Amino acid sequence: MEDRLEFRVFDKIARLSRECVITEKIDGTNACVFIGENGEFLTGSRTRWITPDDDNYGFSRWAHEHKDELLLLGPGRHFGEWWGQGCQRNYGLAEKRFSLFNTSVWNDVTKPACCHVVPVLYQGGFTTNAVEDVLSVLRWNGSAAAPGFMKPEGVVIYHTVLGKYFKKTCEHDDEPKNAHQKR
């Protein structure tokens, strides 16, 4: 009875046609570097903290080897994709790379030398046509993150007003993840 009486706020509805940033969705594994205000240094995957002894595709070991450079990221949580050789699509690379997601802060000039940044493919007002146009370019030209690799995964759309990410893949976007592998 009390639950019915509790007032619940209906959130404001954000406008869809606002600024977005579309980046290449790289097929690897999510990775995180945490730097505390006191210099604390931790590494994580999408779902847990990892260490060089309890790692995720070698990311924690690599991050600890590059700790001095990564500390240049400054305090905070720095998310990115750990990708390349031995990790998902491989992208024809002989090494793994860490590509930062926050393109409003990081670019080829501001990033630490050991890092990459996910490629920005479009920035402007959100439209489904913009998303489809970017996907068409990726399908035709291949990966912007690994030029010459012709099987890019797709795109990530960051809606700046909502502060939310959405993804759209080049193949099997209408199916749950890995559903096409079960056939």
Side-chain angles (χ1 to χ4, degrees):
M1 180 73 161
E2 285 184 39
D3 189 42
R4 288 187 330 156
L5 299 177
E6 179 185 334
F7 183 80
R8 294 194 184 163
V9 174
F10 187 85
D11 290 335
K12 283 184 144 189
I13 299 173
R15 294 185 188 271
L16 182 58
S17 299
R18 291 296 186 258
E19 169 109 356
C20 75
V21 179
I22 301 176
T23 58
E24 182 172 351
K25 182 174 185 335
I26 300 171
D27 191 12
T29 188
N30 187 281
C32 174
V33 171
F34 171 80
I35 301 168
E37 293 289 338
N38 61 356
E40 182 180 18
F41 185 84
L42 299 171
T43 53
S45 69
R46 187 178 61 78
T47 59
R48 64 185 177 93
W49 293 116
I50 57 176
T51 68
D53 295 326
D54 183 20
D55 214 339
N56 186 29
Y57 289 96
F59 175 72
S60 187
R61 180 181 43 78
W62 174 88
H64 280 84
E65 289 170 1
H66 293 86
K67 179 179 177 180
D68 290 342
E69 282 182 89
L70 292 170
L71 286 172
L72 297 173
L73 294 168
R77 294 173 193 265
H78 306 282
F79 290 95
E81 195 75 4
W82 181 239
W83 61 288
Q85 183 187 43
C87 200
Q88 309 303 358
R89 290 176 193 248
N90 296 306
Y91 288 82
L93 297 175
E95 78 283 345
K96 288 187 182 82
R97 297 177 180 174
F98 179 52
S99 292
L100 295 160
F101 292 152
N102 190 344
T103 61
S104 68
V105 173
W106 307 112
N107 59 48
D108 287 338
V109 175
T110 61
K111 68 174 182 61
C114 64
C115 296
H116 296 262
V117 180
V118 293
V120 174
L121 307 174
Y122 171 85
Q123 188 165 352
F126 173 83
T127 67
T128 54
N129 286 341
V131 174
E132 292 303 327
D133 289 348
V134 170
L135 278 169
S136 292
V137 169
L138 268 182
R139 287 183 188 110
W140 183 257
N141 294 333
S143 173
F149 184 75
M150 298 307 294
K151 296 278 292 174
E153 185 179 15
V155 296
V156 172
I157 304 102
Y158 178 70
H159 194 281
T160 57
V161 171
L162 289 175
K164 297 282 186 190
Y165 293 94
F166 302 89
K167 65 182 172 182
K168 190 152 178 68
T169 56
C170 290
E171 298 177 333
H172 310 290
D173 190 61
D174 57 337
E175 300 175 4
K177 187 174 184 175
N178 297 326
H180 62 280
Q181 295 174 349
K182 295 175 185 172
R183 289 185 192 154

